[in-house]
Amino acid sequence: MFQFIDPKFRLLEALQVIRKLFLPITFSLTLICLTNGCGNKVATRDVPVELPEAYSLPTGSSPLDSNWWASFQDTLLNRLVDSAITHNLELKSTWFQVAQEAGNVAIIASQRVPQVFLELQGGASRPAPDFVGGENTQLSLRTSYEVDLWGRVKQSKLAAENRMIATFLDYQTMGISVAGEVALTWFTLQASREQMNLIKEQTEYNQQILALIRTRFASGQVRGVDILRQEQLIENTKEEALALQMEIKILKNRLAVLLGKAPGMLNISEKMKLPTLSPIPNAGLPMELINRRPDIQSSFNQLEAADREVAVAISNTYPRLTFNLTGALRSNTLTNLVESQAASLTGSLLMPLFYGGRLKAETHRAKAFREQQLNAYGQTVLLAVQEVEDALVRESLQKEIIIKLENQLDLAERAFNQLRIEYLNGSIAYLDVLVTLDQMQQLKRELVNEKLNLLLYRLSLYRALAGGFESPIENEEDFSIQENTISTK
């Protein structure tokens, strides 16, 4: 009796046969791919610059918090920074660069395991030289594997991992910059509002003096030019108020973009008082910056990646050993596919002989790039130490500048009160009073600016000492950076 066999059953049976025949061989090749040959070793280097044992100025004793912006004790600033770290588009863009590098690591790592293909072929030819009817059906399993004799694939993967870590550290550096820009913009906005409030008070006071001068002019006690000079001072103050209004609106737009919002869509309170500085933190030692700052760690990982690329370039000049395994089931019909079996194992050794000097040139280029990264790493370390030193010097001297400015303001107020009394008594002309009044009001506005500068110098110190911190987006993606690979604090 004729028995019909379902082609789907035949296909499943064929796949099982292939699996039984060639799975042990494939497993053996997988074990080979996990064994690394005598590859090139990467160089180990110390910091290429000499660093001082301590900073030139003393610092405090309290440690720096990873969320350093909280040290200003401004709750609104804390909310702004948290929002920026979550929604800033430039920071998000940098994070997806990390995702790209993670994909690149996976692509390179795939070269360390056998590449397996399952292929089903069917065709027909006329006339038929081999098969009756000229039909040809073949189900084959192909495996290709390159033995990593010299560690070329391994070093390529490690170099890709270094670049991925460097990109992640660049992301953390960007996070520090975004938090710093938010704090800088917020403090500048507060100072501008404080200036606006001060100018409003000064304008009201100047108008009171103008009314007094007009009264004295009506009684013939002063000249008309005194009225004109006072009106000029009022107009000058109003002009400065307009400039501040423009700056406040621009700062709001800038803050909105930092928070991932369109300009004009950010509503914040009208707080006008700058925060008080907390004690200066412990800056630690210059050598500690190397392990703390993500930009330095990023530069070091770029150096390591370049070092591994040298090993890859050297390995390209050595022979390559490749194995190819093919197992196939053949038949002139799909139903008889398991009746004929064939297998082949081939190995090839490829030795580069003449490439017109290209391989040697690639090695020289890789070595030159490594030396470039080495010097870039040293420069990054030097700039980091300079940023800390500059911030310490500026803050210490800025405090003295503010003290001197407050002394000037006190003297100007005392001089103005004395000259005002003499003017009311008719002893002096109003020009002396006007000059002193203008100086006193300018000193008050300058004092606000200098207090802002003191805050910004402390902000520069925090940013110079800051390490990486975890952001919400790091927990939302389907890949992660291993904690034992890189320190995020």
Side-chain angles (χ1 to χ4, degrees):
M1 178 182 293
F2 176 76
Q3 183 179 6
F4 176 76
I5 301 178
D6 190 353
K8 295 182 179 179
F9 175 78
R10 289 290 191 181
L11 180 59
L12 292 175
E13 184 181 6
L15 291 175
Q16 292 177 356
V17 173
I18 291 176
R19 181 175 178 271
K20 292 179 180 180
L21 286 173
F22 305 115
L23 183 60
I25 301 176
T26 305
F27 179 73
S28 299
L29 287 175
T30 304
L31 290 178
I32 294 175
C33 80
L34 296 177
T35 305
N36 293 315
C38 48
N40 294 287
K41 296 181 179 179
V42 296
T44 57
R45 295 178 182 269
D46 297 327
V47 182
V49 293
E50 183 179 358
L51 296 179
E53 295 182 357
Y55 296 108
S56 59
L57 294 177
T59 60
S61 57
S62 59
L64 178 64
D65 188 3
S66 58
N67 298 337
W68 43 266
W69 53 88
S71 302
F72 294 104
Q73 299 179 355
D74 188 332
T75 56
L76 184 53
L77 172 63
N78 296 340
R79 293 200 298 268
L80 291 173
V81 172
D82 292 341
S83 178
I85 293 175
T86 304
H87 301 104
N88 183 270
L89 298 182
E90 189 175 5
L91 188 58
K92 286 185 177 181
S93 175
T94 307
W95 174 254
F96 286 104
Q97 290 181 7
V98 182
Q100 294 178 43
E101 293 296 334
N104 190 41
V105 171
I107 292 172
I108 297 177
S110 66
Q111 302 177 23
R112 303 188 68 186
V113 297
Q115 308 296 305
V116 182
F117 309 91
L118 181 64
E119 182 180 19
L120 177 63
Q121 292 181 344
S125 60
R126 295 293 186 273
D130 297 324
F131 296 93
V132 177
E135 298 172 352
N136 185 357
T137 302
Q138 177 175 303
L139 180 64
S140 60
L141 185 68
R142 302 172 184 268
T143 302
S144 176
Y145 173 64
E146 177 186 344
V147 181
D148 195 16
L149 293 175
W150 322 111
R152 180 183 65 85
V153 179
K154 176 185 177 181
Q155 295 301 331
S156 296
K157 176 180 177 293
L158 293 176
E161 288 179 348
N162 284 125
R163 286 191 290 268
M164 179 189 67
I165 295 173
T167 307
F168 173 74
L169 291 164
D170 291 339
Y171 161 76
Q172 290 195 322
T173 302
M174 176 65 69
I176 295 174
S177 297
V178 169
E181 288 299 316
V182 170
L184 185 149
T185 306
W186 175 239
F187 291 149
T188 307
L189 182 59
Q190 287 179 294
S192 298
R193 286 171 171 169
E194 191 171 337
Q195 289 270 25
M196 180 65 72
N197 188 52
L198 181 59
I199 286 180
K200 181 179 178 181
E201 294 177 356
Q202 291 176 351
T203 301
E204 293 176 353
Y205 184 75
N206 292 337
Q207 288 176 343
Q208 293 175 3
I209 294 180
L210 176 61
L212 176 62
I213 296 175
R214 283 175 175 171
T215 301
R216 292 174 62 84
F217 174 75
S219 61
Q221 299 179 21
V222 299
R223 300 177 302 170
V225 69
D226 293 342
I227 297 177
L228 297 177
R229 288 170 175 167
Q230 185 65 20
E231 288 178 344
Q232 180 183 359
L233 178 61
I234 293 174
E235 292 299 320
N236 181 66
T237 308
K238 291 180 178 179
E239 183 268 334
E240 292 187 5
L242 291 174
L244 281 173
Q245 289 179 10
M246 178 176 61
E247 182 178 1
I248 288 173
K249 291 181 179 180
I250 292 175
L251 289 171
K252 285 184 177 180
N253 293 340
R254 180 183 178 188
L255 190 59
V257 173
L258 286 170
L259 269 61
K261 298 179 180 292
M265 297 185 63
L266 180 64
N267 296 320
I268 51 179
S269 64
E270 296 296 324
K271 185 178 179 181
M272 293 179 293
K273 185 177 180 181
L274 292 171
T276 303
L277 275 183
S278 59
I280 192 169
N282 182 12
L285 301 177
M287 284 297 296
E288 294 177 356
L289 283 179
I290 297 175
N291 296 323
R292 183 191 303 132
R293 284 187 45 151
D295 58 335
I296 298 179
Q297 295 182 55
S298 173
S299 181
F300 178 75
N301 276 275
Q302 292 287 1
L303 172 60
E304 280 198 329
D307 209 8
R308 298 186 190 281
E309 291 293 348
V310 172
V312 173
I314 295 175
S315 298
N316 287 333
T317 63
Y318 298 156
R320 294 187 186 181
L321 178 61
T322 305
F323 290 99
N324 295 287
L325 173 65
T326 302
L329 302 177
R330 299 178 179 177
S331 176
N332 62 333
T333 62
L334 182 61
T335 56
N336 298 325
L337 189 61
V338 296
E339 296 179 357
S340 177
Q341 304 170 4
S344 66
L345 176 63
T346 61
S348 63
L349 186 65
L350 177 64
M351 177 65 185
L353 294 179
F354 180 72
Y355 282 80
R358 178 172 64 86
L359 298 180
K360 185 177 181 180
E362 288 178 352
T363 303
H364 289 327
R365 181 181 64 179
K367 291 180 178 180
F369 182 70
R370 178 183 61 187
E371 295 303 315
Q372 176 189 350
Q373 292 299 316
L374 175 63
N375 288 278
Y377 171 59
Q379 182 70 9
T380 304
V381 173
L382 290 179
L383 290 177
V385 177
Q386 179 191 352
E387 289 175 1
V388 177
E389 287 282 3
D390 290 349
L392 291 173
V393 170
R394 286 170 176 166
E395 180 170 340
S396 62
L397 295 179
Q398 184 66 19
K399 292 177 180 178
E400 297 183 13
I401 290 176
I402 291 177
I403 293 175
K404 299 299 182 182
L405 193 59
E406 289 174 341
N407 292 336
Q408 292 181 53
L409 179 58
D410 179 67
L411 293 173
E413 288 177 343
R414 290 164 57 186
F416 171 74
N417 292 331
Q418 182 64 34
L419 291 172
R420 183 172 179 271
I421 294 174
E422 294 180 3
Y423 170 71
L424 293 176
N425 293 331
S427 303
I428 61 173
Y430 180 69
L431 181 59
D432 295 333
V433 180
L434 180 64
V435 171
T436 307
L437 175 63
D438 186 36
Q439 290 177 348
M440 181 184 67
Q441 293 180 347
Q442 291 291 344
L443 285 171
K444 288 183 178 180
R445 296 197 287 268
E446 186 179 351
L447 184 60
V448 175
N449 287 332
E450 296 302 332
K451 289 181 177 179
L452 170 63
N453 288 335
L454 180 61
L455 275 174
L456 298 186
Y457 294 153
R458 172 62 65 85
L459 177 60
S460 298
L461 178 61
Y462 285 155
R463 293 177 64 174
L465 296 174
F469 54 88
E470 185 177 352
S471 63
I473 195 174
E474 296 179 35
N475 300 320
E476 298 176 0
E477 299 303 315
D478 54 358
F479 72 97
S480 61
I481 305 295
Q482 297 182 359
E483 294 182 359
N484 59 352
T485 304
I486 176 175
S487 174
T488 59
K489 298 297 182 182

